[in-house]
Amino acid sequence: MKLDAAGISFSAIPLASSSDHYSRIEIMRLAERRAGSGRYDSRTYFGDGPWDQKASETLGYNFVSVGNRISSPQLVRDYTEADVALRYIGL
């Protein structure tokens, strides 16, 4: 998994990745199921492709772009910018 390779571990935060499914929308829905039925203030997706951004728009997710392949108001160069990424999700 990409996050493990980057040394990022959020074991207490429900998430899903491309290791779980190829469809971005299905990845997002899986993360929702893993999060349970509680009330959440927001849902955030980190992605580097236009398909990620489109899936986020389709499902109403906060989107953070990773790298320089696409443009968005919220972006991180890579996952070493953990402090920036955490600010985008309110942590």
Side-chain angles (χ1 to χ4, degrees):
M1 190 160 151
K2 293 177 188 177
L3 294 175
D4 289 336
I8 299 172
S9 175
F10 296 108
S11 59
I13 299 174
L15 59 86
S17 73
S18 59
S19 297
D20 297 306
H21 202 281
Y22 67 90
S23 164
R24 296 307 184 251
I25 289 177
E26 291 306 315
I27 291 168
M28 297 159 91
R29 288 182 175 150
L30 177 58
E32 289 176 2
R33 287 192 299 275
R34 288 180 178 171
S37 60
R39 167 111 167 82
Y40 298 94
D41 294 331
S42 68
R43 298 170 295 174
T44 300
Y45 190 94
F46 289 80
D48 64 353
W51 47 87
D52 298 317
Q53 195 168 26
K54 175 130 176 66
S56 295
E57 290 171 6
T58 298
L59 295 177
Y61 276 50
N62 177 40
F63 179 73
V64 179
S65 60
V66 180
N68 60 5
R69 290 179 51 193
I70 58 174
S71 176
S72 79
Q74 300 181 116
L75 78 107
V76 293
R77 288 178 304 203
D78 57 45
Y79 289 113
T80 63
E81 294 184 336
D83 56 328
V84 176
L86 291 174
R87 279 197 308 263
Y88 288 141
I89 61 174
L91 298 176

